Amino acid sequence: MPSNAKPRPEPEAPEDVIDPARALLPAVQQVNARRVREGFWPKFTRVAARIPFADQLLGAYYATRDPETPTAAKGLLLAALAYFVLPTDLIPDLFAGIGFSDDAAVIAAVLATLGGHVRERHRALARDTLARLVRRD
């Protein structure tokens, strides 16, 4: 090996590669948090009456706002909520009947995995908020 060559690093173990402390999760989570913060309420209030999973979506939103929700769970919940907020997705939301099916699938998959982090207090707050939105319309 030439004298100026750097020694080759040891291959990383699988547990090192998936270590959240070494991943780019904080940056991605910050982008998703900003997207959700800026876009969730405008879109949600516009479409809540048309989507049957509004209560689950809102419960997930409230779980991300709870300081007791673990950071990793917040990250995945924020990713699902950011997918809902993004104007471009797999099936455009303007298609009647099927437009929100991809959003529902993403929320369902995340809640199937992390549903335990969406507590009863988040669900109750979601129900109360939806009731207020319905009364207002």
Side-chain angles (χ1 to χ4, degrees), residues 54-66:
D55 58 333
Q56 295 168 333
L57 190 66
L58 199 49
Y61 173 80
Y62 286 130
T64 67
R65 310 288 297 161
D66 187 342

Side-chain angles (χ1 to χ4, degrees), residues 83-137:
Y83 184 80
F84 169 74
V85 169
L86 288 174
T88 57
D89 58 14
L90 192 59
I91 302 173
D93 297 337
L94 56 98
F95 290 125
I98 63 165
F100 289 104
S101 60
D102 58 327
D103 300 289
V106 169
I107 292 295
V110 168
L111 290 180
T113 306
L114 299 169
H117 295 291
V118 180
R119 309 265 190 238
E120 180 53 36
R121 65 181 175 268
H122 306 135
R123 291 186 197 95
L125 191 53
R127 286 189 300 270
D128 292 346
T129 302
L130 281 173
R132 279 195 315 274
L133 285 173
V134 170
R135 279 194 304 260
R136 199 171 41 169
D137 289 340

Side-chain angles (χ1 to χ4, degrees), residues 4-85:
N4 63 350
K6 295 181 182 177
R8 186 175 250 175
E10 291 294 317
E12 295 187 53
E15 56 273 6
D16 294 334
V17 175
I18 60 173
D19 178 14
R22 298 185 63 200
L24 294 176
L25 290 177
V28 172
Q29 188 169 342
Q30 288 174 355
V31 169
N32 286 337
R34 183 183 48 79
R35 285 181 178 146
V36 171
R37 186 175 53 249
E38 294 171 1
F40 182 80
W41 284 111
K43 183 169 184 177
F44 185 80
T45 55
R46 196 171 59 249
V47 301
R50 295 185 305 172
I51 54 175
F53 60 97
D55 58 333
Q56 295 168 333
L57 190 66
L58 199 49
Y61 173 80
Y62 286 130
T64 67
R65 310 288 297 161
D66 187 342
E68 293 181 20
T69 302
T71 302
K74 280 184 186 181
L76 289 171
L77 290 167
L78 283 168
L81 293 171
Y83 184 80
F84 169 74
V85 169

